Structure formats: C-alpha cells, structure tokens
Amino acid sequence: RGNQGDPLLQWTDGRKTEQGGSWEGNENIIKRLSLRKNSSELYKALCAAPEDGAACTFPPVVTLDQDLSCNNVDNDPECQVDMLRTVQVISGIFYEYHRPPCTQLAFYNNPKQVEARNGREKMCANPDLPVATRMCCTPWGASVNQYVNYDGELVKYD
C-alpha cells in the first residue's frame, strides 16, 4: 500500500516515469486500473472497513485467502485482466501485488518460448499462467508496442 503509484517492481529494469514516478495525473504515461468502490470484491478487501458503512482502514499488507468473484465479467475492467501488478483503490492509495515465491511447478505441459524486454534473453514459460505481457515490434525492431490494458499487466499465452 502507498500513496505513490509507482511500485518498487513496476519496471524491473529500474526505469521510472517521466514525471518523477507519481501516477497521479499521468494518464497519458501510465495506464492503471482504478477499482470500483460499489462493485469490486478486491476494493472491499483492500478497504478493510471494520463494518459496512465505516471508513476504510487500508492496511499496509493484505493477504487474500481465497479467490474473489467478479460480478460483471463482461463490463467490469477488473474482471477482464489476468493479473495486475498495481491497482489504485482511491486517489492516492495504491496496492502492489507480490506473487508468492516458488508456488508454480518447474515442469509443465506445452511450454512456450518468451523473450525478455531487451530481446536478447529467451526462456520457457507456462502458457496457463500470467507471466508475460503482449508485445509487438516493427520488423526492424525500431519500436515496440505493448498490447495490454494496463501497465504492469501480465497475461496468459492465449
């Protein structure tokens, strides 16, 4: 949790946003998901109000013990992503997801080859897990376009 939307691990290559790392007002630089107060199970979990109608407490660490449901799969942006690294709960309050270490199997069916951002490193990935992002580049490699809805979004291979 924090009041700055640029999480420690948003960019694994150490890069920061052009405006000093804050996501407030940087709609054209960083795309982020804002949770819906009235319909989001994740919002309720991160808010951690002691009772209905009470003010949110926003604890610094929240551990989810079960899967959360999506009420409107077709129209709710929160239900249309595989995994996000950061979400905005309200203005100035962001949470970053930290995947538990060593929770996936080392061997799996139908591995797919993926590339690191620099294009020089290749590795195998499990196509059933959200571990990479969609990207496309020009044939000569001059530009790269990221085809995801939000920065830091990870997707499954399909």
Side-chain angles (χ1 to χ4, degrees):
R1 177 188 99 127
N3 66 354
Q4 187 176 44
D6 187 18
L8 179 63
L9 298 175
Q10 176 67 40
W11 305 113
T12 55
D13 59 5
R15 168 169 57 123
K16 298 285 185 186
T17 64
E18 294 174 16
Q19 296 179 3
S22 173
W23 282 14
E24 292 293 337
N26 290 350
E27 293 296 328
N28 296 327
I29 296 173
I30 295 180
K31 298 176 287 184
R32 64 189 180 281
L33 175 69
S34 295
L35 300 178
R36 295 179 177 183
K37 180 178 182 177
N38 296 325
S39 63
S40 170
E41 292 291 319
L42 182 56
Y43 178 93
K44 291 175 189 170
L46 299 176
C47 166
E51 58 188 46
D52 285 342
C56 292
T57 60
F58 299 119
V61 175
V62 175
T63 301
L64 301 176
D65 297 325
Q66 61 188 20
D67 290 341
L68 302 177
S69 62
C70 277
N71 298 324
N72 192 351
V73 175
D74 293 330
N75 295 321
D76 190 344
E78 182 181 335
C79 300
Q80 297 174 356
V81 296
D82 289 329
M83 182 173 24
L84 291 174
R85 302 214 25 208
T86 304
V87 294
Q88 180 175 0
V89 184
I90 62 172
S91 180
I93 301 291
F94 300 86
Y95 277 86
E96 179 180 7
Y97 172 68
H98 290 269
R99 185 172 31 195
C102 304
T103 56
Q104 282 86 37
L105 299 174
F107 300 98
Y108 39 84
N109 294 326
N110 304 314
K112 301 295 180 187
Q113 181 176 308
V114 295
E115 289 186 20
R117 183 177 300 216
N118 63 20
R120 293 185 298 259
E121 300 164 5
K122 294 177 177 34
M123 62 202 91
C124 289
N126 186 339
D128 297 327
L129 297 176
V131 295
T133 191
R134 282 186 214 108
M135 301 189 97
C136 185
C137 59
T138 58
W140 54 92
S143 65
V144 175
N145 296 312
Q146 196 173 20
Y147 292 101
V148 292
N149 296 315
Y150 306 99
D151 285 302
E153 179 182 352
L154 299 177
V155 297
K156 297 176 185 173
Y157 189 81
D158 60 2

